[in-house]
Amino acid sequence: MKRVLIVDDDRVVLNLLAEGLRELGYEVATAVSGADALLRVVEQDFDLAVLDMRMPGMPGLDLARALGEAGGPPFVFLSAFGDTDVVQAAAEAGAMGYLVKPVDVPQLVPFLEASIARAREMADLRTTTGHLEQALSVEQKTRTAVGIIMVRKGLNRQQAFDFLRAQARSQRRKIGDLSEDLIAAVEGINQILRDS
């Protein structure tokens, strides 16, 4: 069941959309203000937040930024205002989409589904990118550690790598962690020598 948070100070619109989505099988929470929405996000995880652009107290753009800082859900805007500057500001804030009111539930559902799918794809890409960056970081540290061992022990590249791997195995540590410690130790020694 997909979880959606709808934030709108217009209670009529809020209730119509929420009830319509619930009838279609969505789990829906509502909030009438930005502050209320932030409380809901603390209480529950959502697949998507639907934000009104102009609300008293905390406008939609401010709420979007607060959600981003709080690690909140991806969001879309549903607003009566469709001028280019407003839409551009929403895009710059990281919105998955922007829909102009009035809108009914049958119009809203494909928009929500596409936005949720896009948000999940982006989350998967961020995860993959994070794994790749971590792998590249470990590889770089390992190469640096191998270089240090080559110089210090007079070994060729393969011998130095085999030595590093054997040390990691004997200490039951990951080769990247051992490489990082070796680099830190050499940097510490170099700093002492520079300072003296």
Side-chain angles (χ1 to χ4, degrees):
M1 183 180 293
K2 292 174 183 150
R3 296 176 307 273
V4 177
L5 171 65
I6 303 175
V7 187
D8 199 317
D9 61 321
D10 184 333
R11 292 176 189 269
V12 174
V13 171
L14 188 67
N15 290 330
L16 284 173
L17 294 178
E19 286 307 312
L21 290 173
R22 285 183 187 120
E23 287 174 11
L24 294 174
Y26 289 84
E27 184 178 327
V28 182
T30 60
V32 294
S33 69
D36 192 22
L38 291 173
L39 290 174
R40 297 268 188 274
V41 168
V42 169
E43 296 167 354
Q44 184 178 1
D45 290 328
F46 295 97
D47 295 300
L48 191 70
V50 180
L51 312 178
D52 186 21
M53 183 58 81
R54 297 193 182 166
M55 296 181 291
M58 182 184 290
L61 285 173
D62 291 347
L63 174 57
R65 290 184 192 100
L67 288 174
E69 290 169 5
F75 57 89
V76 296
F77 283 102
L78 180 61
S79 178
F81 305 94
D83 52 301
T84 306
D85 292 342
V86 174
V87 175
Q88 181 64 34
E92 289 172 2
M96 295 284 112
Y98 194 100
L99 198 57
V100 178
K101 294 177 187 177
V103 64
D104 58 18
V105 173
Q107 290 174 301
L108 186 59
V109 168
F111 175 71
L112 293 180
E113 289 297 324
S115 298
I116 290 170
R118 183 169 176 241
R120 286 181 178 165
E121 287 171 4
M122 290 178 69
D124 290 345
L125 282 173
R126 279 192 292 273
T127 299
T128 300
T129 300
H131 290 297
L132 288 173
E133 287 174 354
Q134 184 178 8
L136 289 172
S137 174
V138 169
E139 182 179 347
Q140 183 180 8
K141 289 173 186 171
T142 302
R143 285 183 180 183
T144 302
V146 166
I148 292 168
I149 294 167
M150 287 171 64
V151 170
R152 298 290 171 108
K153 296 189 75 61
L155 303 174
N156 68 32
R157 184 174 304 284
Q158 186 60 50
Q159 291 170 327
F161 177 76
D162 291 342
F163 176 83
L164 181 63
R165 182 174 52 195
Q167 291 298 312
R169 284 182 180 161
S170 71
Q171 296 177 29
R172 296 182 184 190
R173 300 180 64 195
K174 293 181 180 178
I175 198 166
D177 293 342
L178 182 59
S179 296
E180 190 172 346
D181 287 352
L182 177 60
I183 293 165
V186 170
E187 288 174 347
I189 291 169
N190 289 341
Q191 185 65 42
I192 290 170
L193 294 175
R194 277 193 300 270
D195 293 345
S196 59

